Amino acid sequence: MRKGYFGEFGGQFVPELLMPPLKELEDAYRTIARSKPFLTEFGQILAEYVGRSTPLYRCPNLSAELGFNLYLKREDLAHTGAHKINNTIGQALLTRHMGKRVLLAETGAGQHGVASATAAAMLGLSCIVYMGATDVVRQAHNVQRMRLLGAEVRPVESGTKTLKDAINAALRHWIAEQADTHYCIGSVVGPAPFPELVRDFQSVIGHECRQQCVERFGTLPDLVVACVGGGSNAMGIFHPFVEDREVRLVGVEAAGTGQPGCYHSASVTQGTPGVLHGTRTRLLQTADGQILPSHSVAPGLDYPGVGPEHSWLDASGRAEYVTVNDTQALAAFQVLCRREGIIPALESSHALAYVLENRDAIEPGSNVVVNLSGRGDKDLGIVAEVLGV
Amino acid sequence: MPSKLTQRIREAQAAGRKALIPYLPAGFPGLDQFWDAVADLDRAGADIIEIGVPFSDPVADGPTVEQAALECLERGVTLKWILQELEKRAGQFQAGIVLMGYLNPFLQYGLDAFARDAARAGVSGVIIPDVPHEESADIRAALTAHGLDLIPLVGLNTSPARLALYAKDATGFAYFVSVLGVTGERAALPGAIRDKLAEAKRTFSVPLALGFGLKTPDQLAALGEGPDAVVFGSALITHLRAGGTPAQFLAAWR
């Protein structure tokens, strides 16, 4: 496969001025990030600071009810409450090894911003986070967390004032400040080598999960399900299983409200190939190639593109991609709260909803793993408003 | 035969001046006014006119161009409309016509269909900021088949090896980005530009245009022998928003 590509997807569609820092990152990724000392240090921070490994938890009540074993990979129990921390620790560590001192990030829901601010504080870097002005208002709590952690949050007033505009702003900032700044991209999106780099840092989830499955039930899982916005938690858990054809991989996209006029966020299932934010992938776009705004009740899934490797896993048939709407996700959210005492992120609730909605099609006795990518504390405002609790 | 774009710049040089390349997003300040502005720029002596193809996510542009482009999108501007309107006016402009836009709208139009229709509409070249050399093979092949130039962008951080890479394939002219940053007027240009510009001039056989950040003609004094052509977008947009005419704007730079 062509370097930086997954089939026909991927690449480096950026202004020439960004090619030198991308080449520098590519070199650092191939040498530093794969070196034994780096991996040792990374593993140590993950264990002692992030709290890995995270448990693989069998839901006793739901498993009894469903007739198959429902396991949750508990990324919600990682430090800062989501899988995002794995990637930001990796990239912040790489930033330090590259001799740069500023960690630049963008965020939609705020989780990646919080994880970036955390990693920067812990590793002695300064941190600048771009965030759409609309998201700054919607996710005020996370803005406060970032500021407490010492990050500078810069609201973005252009375009749709959401994640895609925050990415545009971060890319512009990086063009100007590339000498001492690393752009810590928040998902398996963007120009090469980001999709691979972020996947590698996140695949700690899948490696742990694989080993835990073998230890717990003596074989690989039958089905692995994860939500897909940009797709980093899904790539993280899928990647170590890609060669195991007997493991079904399902990525769950957000279908929004499903109402007329409501944009969804399902770029693999509803999108078409195009180029955005430095990569060729499936996008929500008009016939003229303008990027459409997206919507999901889960702020972290609200992105009109997807990581290029997901587009390829879909095209090659190795993973299946499906959609779940806001209502189904909210129902699954409540089920997990009430039945298992776990408040999941609305993003992860999409993955769980797929399993609940398709319970009849899943073989009794099989082993199903849902990647619980984050905890739902951050979504209490949204949930309270929608459910009236 | 040398490209029309190369010819226009060399003609200006022969007349003892730098070629002038104004940029406007298609549909700014209004759908009809835009074509009046293009005709006005042409009459006032623009050597090449850069027509911006509006895109929803213009990562290389600053706030002035982005805002203008988003207004154009709201007016319903599409690449198809631009090419149809240009075709109606094919042969009417003395200036060379260049389209500048991000890759995705060209991709959705279809690269071969785009190159064919653009050539028919009198377009001589294309600038695509999010296509570095590594990703340029397909679009270059499509454009070359219809006699169009793919104008490369280089800048202060482009290594000698990469300058040579771009120089090998460049036709029309090369675009030197004056700042490490996005489009938009700046009071001063970086000091390092003089030497890098000289290096780029030695490397390219096609003429060199300088753009991004230009605000006033006196900025050029510090550039020594400097560029063969100058590009201005944000300053022109600001000038038009303030009620000025394209001809007045160009007069200051001539």
Side-chain angles (χ1 to χ4, degrees):
Chain A
M1 215 178 297
R2 216 176 128 195
K3 194 182 119 206
Y5 273 82
F6 310 93
E8 60 168 313
F9 301 104
Q12 291 182 310
F13 296 92
V14 295
E16 170 57 31
L17 300 191
L18 274 182
M19 289 304 281
L22 276 182
K23 297 267 180 220
E24 188 187 356
L25 179 62
E26 223 172 86
D27 289 345
Y29 169 54
R30 309 260 170 232
T31 56
I32 302 168
R34 289 174 176 180
S35 71
K36 202 158 179 222
F38 180 92
L39 291 171
T40 305
E41 194 180 0
F42 181 48
Q44 194 173 354
I45 298 172
L46 290 182
E48 294 170 4
Y49 183 71
V50 173
R52 301 207 73 92
S53 31
T54 61
L56 180 71
Y57 177 70
R58 182 176 178 277
C59 296
N61 303 320
L62 285 172
S63 295
E65 187 182 315
L66 294 166
F68 51 81
N69 298 304
L70 177 63
Y71 289 90
L72 302 177
K73 180 61 178 159
R74 298 290 307 273
E75 292 303 293
D76 61 315
L77 294 180
H79 181 44
T80 72
H83 72 288
K84 296 284 185 186
I85 190 76
N86 306 322
N87 170 45
T88 59
I89 291 286
Q91 289 201 53
L93 197 59
L94 193 58
T95 303
R96 215 172 63 174
H97 278 273
M98 289 166 76
K100 299 192 174 194
R101 53 177 196 84
V102 182
L103 198 65
L104 167 68
E106 90 298 310
T107 194
Q111 287 306 97
H112 175 60
V114 169
S116 297
T118 302
M122 191 268 190
L123 288 163
L125 303 166
S126 50
C127 185
I128 298 171
V129 182
Y130 284 92
M131 192 169 181
T134 305
D135 290 332
V136 168
V137 176
R138 286 199 293 212
Q139 304 289 330
H141 185 64
N142 273 336
V143 172
Q144 288 169 331
R145 290 170 78 191
M146 285 182 256
R147 288 186 174 141
L148 279 172
L149 291 161
E152 183 194 338
V153 180
R154 297 188 179 177
V156 178
E157 298 286 351
S158 57
T160 58
K161 301 183 174 60
T162 59
L163 176 61
K164 80 177 176 74
D165 308 286
I167 296 178
N168 293 337
L171 283 167
R172 289 169 185 155
H173 181 106
W174 200 28
I175 292 176
E177 306 294 338
Q178 50 188 260
D180 66 347
T181 300
H182 170 68
Y183 177 21
C184 178
I185 208 159
S187 191
V188 287
V189 299
F194 281 109
E196 268 184 274
L197 175 82
V198 176
R199 176 201 70 199
D200 286 358
F201 288 144
Q202 289 295 6
S203 59
V204 63
I205 305 170
H207 286 299
E208 279 176 15
C209 181
R210 205 169 192 288
Q211 194 183 341
Q212 287 166 328
C213 287
V214 172
E215 282 167 8
R216 291 291 291 281
F217 45 85
T219 179
L220 296 180
D222 300 294
L223 173 61
V224 175
V225 186
C227 63
V228 177
S232 69
N233 87 87
M235 272 322 306
I237 198 163
F238 287 178
H239 186 60
F241 293 108
V242 164
E243 300 300 321
D244 305 306
R245 296 304 223 181
E246 69 273 30
V247 180
R248 257 184 85 201
L249 305 175
V250 174
V252 185
E253 298 195 294
T257 65
Q259 301 299 310
C262 166
Y263 297 103
H264 42 63
S265 305
S267 26
V268 179
T269 46
Q270 311 283 325
T272 50
V275 167
L276 176 68
H277 294 145
T279 194
R280 182 178 157 83
T281 188
R282 293 185 79 88
L283 303 172
L284 301 175
Q285 58 180 326
T286 66
D288 299 311
Q290 305 297 337
I291 308 306
L292 287 167
S294 52
H295 167 80
S296 166
V297 71
L301 301 183
D302 188 359
Y303 179 65
V306 65
E309 196 168 1
H310 282 295
S311 295
W312 180 65
L313 288 179
D314 173 65
S316 65
R318 176 59 190 101
E320 299 158 56
Y321 292 84
V322 297
T323 59
V324 154
N325 66 32
D326 291 353
T327 310
Q328 293 167 319
L330 283 161
F333 172 91
Q334 289 172 288
V335 167
L336 199 65
C337 290
R338 298 286 177 90
R339 299 301 308 277
E340 301 290 349
I342 296 170
I343 301 178
L346 285 173
E347 290 79 6
S348 321
S349 300
H350 282 73
L352 184 66
Y354 167 79
V355 174
L356 299 180
E357 296 279 331
N358 293 279
R359 63 178 76 184
D360 295 341
I362 296 171
E363 281 286 308
S366 56
N367 296 307
V368 176
V369 177
V370 168
N371 195 13
L372 200 74
S373 57
R375 68 176 188 227
D377 309 37
K378 70 180 178 68
D379 298 319
L380 293 190
I382 300 171
V383 171
E385 201 182 311
V386 182
L387 299 178
V389 286
Chain B
M1 195 181 75
S3 144
K4 176 172 179 175
L5 302 174
T6 310
Q7 277 180 33
R8 287 287 175 275
I9 296 175
R10 296 294 184 217
E11 282 160 15
Q13 283 181 302
R17 61 181 182 83
K18 293 188 192 307
L20 302 179
I21 311 182
Y23 163 93
L24 274 183
F28 179 86
L31 295 181
D32 294 333
Q33 294 98 311
F34 171 72
W35 296 107
D36 294 342
V38 171
D40 209 8
L41 288 167
D42 187 55
R43 273 192 302 273
D47 299 285
I48 293 169
I49 299 172
E50 244 185 64
I51 296 178
V53 180
F55 182 52
S56 52
D57 295 83
V59 288
D61 285 305
T64 306
V65 169
E66 180 179 32
Q67 180 55 35
L70 292 179
E71 289 169 21
C72 296
L73 285 178
E74 281 166 21
R75 291 185 191 107
V77 170
T78 61
L79 180 54
K80 195 173 167 190
W81 177 80
I82 296 169
L83 292 176
Q84 283 171 346
E85 293 294 315
L86 264 177
E87 194 176 349
K88 287 184 205 164
R89 296 166 175 81
Q92 289 180 17
F93 303 123
Q94 186 63 29
I97 300 289
V98 166
L99 294 185
M100 176 163 182
Y102 293 83
L103 180 60
N104 199 46
F106 299 119
L107 274 183
Q108 303 311 319
Y109 196 100
L111 294 182
D112 290 321
F114 163 69
R116 177 197 65 210
D117 293 354
R120 191 187 298 157
V123 173
S124 297
V126 184
I127 303 173
I128 311 178
D130 55 347
V131 175
H133 192 272
E134 283 79 350
E135 305 289 355
S136 65
D138 292 352
I139 179 98
R140 177 176 293 106
L143 294 178
T144 306
H146 293 276
L148 274 74
D149 300 321
L150 179 63
I151 313 298
L153 289 111
V154 295
L156 289 168
N157 61 349
T158 310
S159 66
R162 290 187 68 77
L163 281 178
L165 198 65
Y166 282 107
K168 188 167 60 70
D169 292 322
T171 57
F173 64 94
Y175 193 129
F176 189 93
V177 177
S178 67
V179 292
L180 269 185
V182 294
T183 59
E185 303 156 65
R186 285 170 179 77
L189 295 177
I193 199 172
R194 190 180 168 134
D195 289 346
K196 194 72 194 178
L197 203 54
E199 184 188 334
K201 277 196 80 162
R202 285 194 302 272
T203 313
F204 284 95
S205 56
V206 292
L208 208 59
L210 180 74
F212 281 43
L214 294 180
K215 189 174 181 185
T216 57
D218 52 22
Q219 285 172 312
L220 297 177
L223 300 180
E225 190 198 344
D228 306 307
V230 287
V231 185
F232 19 74
S234 298
L236 175 58
I237 290 168
T238 305
H239 172 87
L240 294 185
R241 280 204 198 275
T245 67
Q248 286 166 345
F249 183 87
L250 277 194
W253 287 86
R254 283 186 71 94

